[in-house]
Amino acid sequence: MPLPSQLKASVTITSVQIENIDFSNAYEKSVEDRMRAEVEVQTQLQNLEKERVSAQIAVTQAQAEADSQLARAIAEAESIRIKGNAEASAIKIRAEALAQNQNLVELTKAERWDGKLPTTMLPTGTIPFLEVQKK
């Protein structure tokens, strides 16, 4: 609907007056207390979330340490098993070699001897590990 011709003139605002709307002290205090309570709730929620994240980090670190210790223990157990198997195999091979050649012990003694006789001996003692055979 078109405006009448007398209203088509422009309107100029020369000033604005804002009136002070004053609330009672009790109302302002209640609003302020409510805002403080909301801020406190938000602060507590943030603290709770921070503690939850800290607890998750501690659990994750503890789990990682436990996994690391378990991996080390498994690796050590496997190493011991492998060394034990290798030692058992070596003992078996040496036993088989000894069974096939009775002089292997004497050969091993001769290979390890540094050529020096003991400097102190008991009068009734024998010279250690040397067998003297009569022909």
Side-chain angles (χ1 to χ4, degrees), residues 99-115:
Q100 291 175 4
N101 186 354
Q102 297 296 327
N103 293 327
L104 182 62
V105 172
E106 295 304 316
L107 175 64
T108 303
K109 284 182 194 178
E111 287 175 346
R112 291 186 180 177
W113 187 40
D114 62 359

Side-chain angles (χ1 to χ4, degrees), residues 3-75:
L3 292 176
S5 61
Q6 50 288 55
L7 290 178
K8 287 189 179 178
S10 63
V11 176
T12 305
I13 299 175
T14 57
S15 69
V16 176
Q17 181 177 354
I18 299 177
E19 189 172 321
N20 184 12
I21 301 173
D22 194 18
F23 296 105
S24 70
N25 288 341
Y27 179 77
E28 287 179 359
K29 181 164 179 18
S30 70
V31 169
E32 187 176 309
D33 289 344
R34 181 171 174 251
M35 293 307 293
R36 279 194 187 122
E38 284 183 27
V39 168
E40 181 64 26
V41 166
Q42 290 301 319
T43 302
Q44 292 298 328
L45 287 173
Q46 287 174 347
N47 289 342
L48 178 65
E49 182 64 17
K50 180 180 175 184
E51 291 299 320
R52 188 183 66 77
V53 169
S54 295
Q56 276 184 321
I57 289 170
V59 167
T60 302
Q61 288 174 338
Q63 185 63 46
E65 179 61 28
D67 291 347
S68 175
Q69 287 179 355
L70 178 62
R72 282 193 298 271
I74 289 171

